[in-house]
Amino acid sequence: MTMHSHIKPALPEDVVLSVRNLEKDFTRKNRPPTTALRGVSLEAAAGRVTGLVGADGAGKTTLIRIAAGLLVPTTGSVTVLGLDSVADSIEVQSRVGYMPQKFGLYQDLSVSENMDLYADLQGVSPPSRPERYRRLLEMTGLSPYTRRRAGALSGGMKQKLGLACALMARPRVLLLDEPSVGVDPVSRQDLWAMVQELSGEGMAVVWSTAYLDEAERCDDVLLLELSLIHI
């Protein structure tokens, strides 16, 4: 699989995520390595929504996980907020918001318990939590549901809780891995409204999607093209 990138360049002073000549191979026992990403370069700017667009298997999740400091690239470099995603991976993880597919929730915990857990993981100080929780619950409309178990929420409500958890530490970069899959159209619209509000406040947002209508709503677009190599 070979990936190619196409993106409008951002102004240098606005760039908070920079990817240069990125490649990622996954080794397989007794088989040749699988190439997930090859020759990918991009820049994501503060105050803009960058669409990461491609079909299933094109490498979107791999790229987002590398940018979040969770995977190590084979070659190339990724810089987030001036930090190297490999050498400074722990700090990168603490300074970006990352919402994985399925929203990264603990299904047996309540809304409040999920928020408490993410606040602990992201080092949010206890005195600042009540106001932060209030703001996030207000933004997502989850205030009436704080005692409800996450597994009992609708797809759209899980999406909003996942976003609230990703935003817990006020990140400057927000990475969303196909956030609209499996949710209703109204919830998709709600999420877009929240994301546009966040980007308007200066946050850099990377939105992974296979949907061209979502790509059209982004400020910048990176297209990951899937090509099959027959051996």
Short mmCIF file of all heavy atoms in Angstrom, two decimals, residues 17 62-71 78 80 85 88-94 96-98 175:
data_model
loop_
_atom_site.label_atom_id
_atom_site.label_comp_id
_atom_site.label_asym_id
_atom_site.label_seq_id
_atom_site.Cartn_x
_atom_site.Cartn_y
_atom_site.Cartn_z
N LEU A 17 1.40 20.82 13.80
CA LEU A 17 1.66 19.41 13.50
C LEU A 17 2.35 19.34 12.14
O LEU A 17 1.84 19.84 11.15
CB LEU A 17 0.35 18.62 13.45
CG LEU A 17 0.42 17.18 12.90
CD1 LEU A 17 1.31 16.31 13.78
CD2 LEU A 17 -0.96 16.58 12.78
N THR A 62 -3.40 4.70 11.31
CA THR A 62 -1.96 4.60 11.56
C THR A 62 -1.34 5.99 11.67
O THR A 62 -0.56 6.26 12.60
CB THR A 62 -1.27 3.80 10.45
OG1 THR A 62 -1.81 2.48 10.41
CG2 THR A 62 0.23 3.72 10.67
N LEU A 63 -1.69 6.88 10.75
CA LEU A 63 -1.13 8.23 10.77
C LEU A 63 -1.55 8.99 12.03
O LEU A 63 -0.73 9.64 12.68
CB LEU A 63 -1.57 8.99 9.52
CG LEU A 63 -1.11 10.44 9.38
CD1 LEU A 63 0.38 10.58 9.60
CD2 LEU A 63 -1.52 10.99 8.02
N ILE A 64 -2.81 8.86 12.41
CA ILE A 64 -3.30 9.56 13.60
C ILE A 64 -2.62 9.02 14.86
O ILE A 64 -2.24 9.78 15.75
CB ILE A 64 -4.84 9.43 13.71
CG1 ILE A 64 -5.47 10.31 12.65
CG2 ILE A 64 -5.32 9.76 15.09
CD1 ILE A 64 -6.72 11.04 13.01
N ARG A 65 -2.44 7.71 14.94
CA ARG A 65 -1.80 7.13 16.12
C ARG A 65 -0.32 7.52 16.21
O ARG A 65 0.22 7.70 17.31
CB ARG A 65 -1.96 5.61 16.12
CG ARG A 65 -3.40 5.19 16.44
CD ARG A 65 -3.57 3.67 16.41
NE ARG A 65 -2.76 3.00 17.40
CZ ARG A 65 -3.08 2.87 18.69
NH1 ARG A 65 -4.22 3.39 19.14
NH2 ARG A 65 -2.28 2.22 19.52
N ILE A 66 0.34 7.66 15.08
CA ILE A 66 1.72 8.16 15.10
C ILE A 66 1.75 9.61 15.58
O ILE A 66 2.58 9.99 16.42
CB ILE A 66 2.37 8.03 13.71
CG1 ILE A 66 2.58 6.55 13.36
CG2 ILE A 66 3.71 8.77 13.66
CD1 ILE A 66 3.06 6.31 11.94
N ALA A 67 0.83 10.43 15.06
CA ALA A 67 0.77 11.84 15.47
C ALA A 67 0.45 11.98 16.96
O ALA A 67 0.87 12.95 17.60
CB ALA A 67 -0.27 12.58 14.64
N ALA A 68 -0.28 11.02 17.52
CA ALA A 68 -0.63 11.06 18.94
C ALA A 68 0.48 10.51 19.83
O ALA A 68 0.34 10.48 21.06
CB ALA A 68 -1.91 10.26 19.17
N GLY A 69 1.59 10.07 19.23
CA GLY A 69 2.69 9.54 20.01
C GLY A 69 2.50 8.11 20.46
O GLY A 69 3.18 7.65 21.37
N LEU A 70 1.61 7.37 19.80
CA LEU A 70 1.27 6.01 20.22
C LEU A 70 1.93 4.94 19.35
O LEU A 70 1.99 3.78 19.76
CB LEU A 70 -0.25 5.83 20.20
CG LEU A 70 -1.04 6.75 21.13
CD1 LEU A 70 -2.53 6.61 20.89
CD2 LEU A 70 -0.70 6.47 22.59
N LEU A 71 2.37 5.32 18.15
CA LEU A 71 3.08 4.39 17.27
C LEU A 71 4.39 5.04 16.83
O LEU A 71 4.46 6.27 16.71
CB LEU A 71 2.25 4.06 16.03
CG LEU A 71 1.12 3.04 16.13
CD1 LEU A 71 0.45 2.89 14.77
CD2 LEU A 71 1.63 1.69 16.61
N VAL A 78 7.68 13.17 12.78
CA VAL A 78 6.43 13.85 13.12
C VAL A 78 6.73 14.77 14.30
O VAL A 78 7.26 14.34 15.32
CB VAL A 78 5.32 12.86 13.51
CG1 VAL A 78 4.06 13.62 13.93
CG2 VAL A 78 5.01 11.92 12.35
N VAL A 80 4.95 17.58 16.86
CA VAL A 80 3.68 18.08 17.39
C VAL A 80 3.98 19.13 18.44
O VAL A 80 4.65 18.83 19.44
CB VAL A 80 2.84 16.94 18.01
CG1 VAL A 80 1.47 17.45 18.41
CG2 VAL A 80 2.72 15.76 17.06
N SER A 85 7.54 13.17 18.04
CA SER A 85 6.53 12.19 18.45
C SER A 85 7.13 10.91 19.01
O SER A 85 6.44 10.15 19.69
CB SER A 85 5.62 11.84 17.26
OG SER A 85 6.32 11.10 16.27
N ASP A 88 9.73 12.42 22.38
CA ASP A 88 8.91 13.10 23.40
C ASP A 88 7.50 12.54 23.43
O ASP A 88 6.53 13.27 23.67
CB ASP A 88 8.85 14.61 23.10
CG ASP A 88 10.22 15.24 22.93
OD1 ASP A 88 11.07 15.05 23.82
OD2 ASP A 88 10.45 15.91 21.90
N SER A 89 7.37 11.23 23.21
CA SER A 89 6.04 10.65 23.03
C SER A 89 5.13 10.84 24.24
O SER A 89 3.93 11.10 24.08
CB SER A 89 6.16 9.15 22.70
OG SER A 89 6.81 8.46 23.76
N ILE A 90 5.65 10.73 25.45
CA ILE A 90 4.81 10.87 26.64
C ILE A 90 4.27 12.29 26.74
O ILE A 90 3.08 12.50 27.04
CB ILE A 90 5.60 10.51 27.92
CG1 ILE A 90 6.09 9.06 27.84
CG2 ILE A 90 4.73 10.73 29.15
CD1 ILE A 90 4.98 8.05 27.69
N GLU A 91 5.13 13.28 26.48
CA GLU A 91 4.65 14.66 26.53
C GLU A 91 3.67 14.96 25.41
O GLU A 91 2.69 15.68 25.61
CB GLU A 91 5.83 15.63 26.49
CG GLU A 91 5.41 17.07 26.77
CD GLU A 91 6.58 18.01 27.01
OE1 GLU A 91 7.74 17.54 26.99
OE2 GLU A 91 6.33 19.20 27.19
N VAL A 92 3.93 14.39 24.22
CA VAL A 92 2.97 14.56 23.12
C VAL A 92 1.61 14.02 23.52
O VAL A 92 0.57 14.67 23.32
CB VAL A 92 3.48 13.86 21.84
CG1 VAL A 92 2.37 13.79 20.80
CG2 VAL A 92 4.68 14.61 21.27
N GLN A 93 1.58 12.82 24.10
CA GLN A 93 0.31 12.22 24.52
C GLN A 93 -0.43 13.09 25.53
O GLN A 93 -1.67 13.11 25.56
CB GLN A 93 0.57 10.84 25.11
CG GLN A 93 1.06 9.81 24.09
CD GLN A 93 1.51 8.53 24.74
OE1 GLN A 93 0.94 8.07 25.73
NE2 GLN A 93 2.55 7.91 24.21
N SER A 94 0.31 13.80 26.37
CA SER A 94 -0.31 14.63 27.39
C SER A 94 -0.80 15.97 26.85
O SER A 94 -1.60 16.63 27.50
CB SER A 94 0.67 14.87 28.54
OG SER A 94 1.72 15.74 28.15
N VAL A 96 -1.93 16.51 23.44
CA VAL A 96 -2.90 16.46 22.34
C VAL A 96 -4.18 15.78 22.84
O VAL A 96 -4.15 14.98 23.77
CB VAL A 96 -2.35 15.70 21.11
CG1 VAL A 96 -1.06 16.31 20.63
CG2 VAL A 96 -2.18 14.21 21.40
N GLY A 97 -5.28 16.13 22.20
CA GLY A 97 -6.53 15.41 22.43
C GLY A 97 -6.71 14.37 21.34
O GLY A 97 -6.56 14.70 20.15
N TYR A 98 -7.00 13.15 21.73
CA TYR A 98 -7.11 12.06 20.76
C TYR A 98 -8.38 11.27 21.03
O TYR A 98 -8.57 10.75 22.13
CB TYR A 98 -5.88 11.14 20.87
CG TYR A 98 -6.00 9.82 20.15
CD1 TYR A 98 -6.32 9.76 18.79
CD2 TYR A 98 -5.76 8.62 20.82
CE1 TYR A 98 -6.41 8.54 18.14
CE2 TYR A 98 -5.84 7.40 20.18
CZ TYR A 98 -6.17 7.36 18.83
OH TYR A 98 -6.27 6.16 18.18
N LEU A 175 -7.10 15.30 17.63
CA LEU A 175 -7.03 14.26 16.60
C LEU A 175 -8.28 13.40 16.70
O LEU A 175 -8.52 12.75 17.73
CB LEU A 175 -5.78 13.40 16.80
CG LEU A 175 -4.45 14.15 16.88
CD1 LEU A 175 -3.32 13.19 17.26
CD2 LEU A 175 -4.13 14.84 15.56
#
